[in-house]
Amino acid sequence: MDWSDSWRGAFRIELRAEAIGLAWRGWPVLPGTYPTAAGWAGRDGIQTDGPVPVHQDWAERVGTQPDQVATWWSGRPYSLLVATGIVLDAIEVDAELGRRAAIELRAAGVVVPIAATPSGRWLFLTDTGTQLRAELAEQDGIVLHGKDSYIPLPPSPFQHGVGHWRVKPQICGWNLPSSEIVQDALSLALRSDVLDNAARLVTAER
């Protein structure tokens, strides 16, 4: 994506508005590095990977008031990061598993805020304090973001696109679901994937 100055300016305004809105709701907002042609900018020098918090002491800045949050986005199009393990946790999965789990949640009538990145990662936002059950923790690509971690939220910019909501928090009234409910859906999605793969193998052998 061509992150020209005009694009960055437009996104800075939108990012600032989203950051202030989340901060007013008590979400622990942090500014993150942003993409350029050379890498990720915002800290001293250019970083290879991102987005990461701009401030090295980001954990000490958690809980910053909305008026101060507004000043962070006054000059640069920082990514919008939220610290996890305080107000919310997030379970990160690949897009295919995310779609399957979303179908399970929809069938159960459960609304869960879900964010997606251009790199094909989905983030299911939940309440805090629950560890991943063993069958999920042993899967490559399933990551729990809890204490001492953070996640990017829309409309954070990436090298090849912009983060977006699959399900906005407003749709569930900003009420975060139990982590157990999301983990139930992920477990069902994993089992259905295994069954589908087995069925395909049987069909191929006929």
Side-chain angles (χ1 to χ4, degrees):
M1 190 164 183
D2 179 17
W3 287 110
S4 62
D5 288 341
S6 60
W7 273 97
R8 288 196 185 96
F11 269 92
R12 180 185 61 76
I13 295 169
E14 186 175 355
L15 285 159
R16 184 172 184 266
E18 290 293 324
I20 293 170
L22 292 180
W24 274 111
R25 290 195 167 273
W27 288 26
V29 174
L30 301 164
T33 52
Y34 57 91
T36 67
W40 291 85
R43 283 188 172 184
D44 292 336
I46 298 295
Q47 311 297 310
T48 303
D49 299 314
V52 299
V54 168
H55 303 112
Q56 300 282 358
D57 61 344
W58 64 268
E60 298 173 18
R61 296 173 184 258
V62 167
T64 298
Q65 295 301 305
D67 56 346
Q68 178 61 44
V69 166
T71 67
W72 286 339
W73 274 270
S74 61
R76 297 196 191 186
Y78 291 125
S79 300
L80 173 53
L81 305 183
V82 169
T84 52
I86 303 165
V87 173
L88 58 88
D89 284 354
I91 302 176
E92 178 183 346
V93 301
D94 63 58
E96 179 57 34
L97 180 58
R99 289 188 189 94
R100 288 176 173 270
I103 291 170
E104 298 290 347
L105 288 165
R106 191 159 52 245
V110 178
V111 181
V112 176
I114 307 172
T117 72
S119 58
R121 303 295 292 173
W122 285 30
L123 295 156
F124 290 76
L125 276 54
T126 74
D127 63 3
T128 62
T130 304
Q131 296 300 310
L132 277 182
R133 60 188 61 164
E135 65 179 327
L136 299 179
E138 67 187 15
Q139 296 291 323
D140 291 336
I142 299 181
V143 180
L144 171 65
H145 294 276
K147 188 175 183 296
D148 299 326
S149 187
Y150 51 84
I151 56 171
L153 288 183
S156 291
F158 289 78
Q159 295 287 3
H160 303 292
V162 178
H164 66 279
W165 289 107
R166 304 292 301 189
V167 179
K168 293 183 177 182
Q170 295 91 319
I171 295 177
C172 59
W174 296 89
N175 296 311
L176 296 172
S178 162
S179 178
E180 290 290 350
I181 291 175
V182 174
Q183 293 192 47
D184 285 345
L186 289 169
S187 295
L188 287 171
L190 279 173
R191 291 175 199 140
S192 68
D193 187 38
V194 170
L195 291 174
D196 286 350
N197 287 336
R200 281 194 289 269
L201 285 173
V202 170
T203 301
E205 291 173 355
R206 287 176 179 172

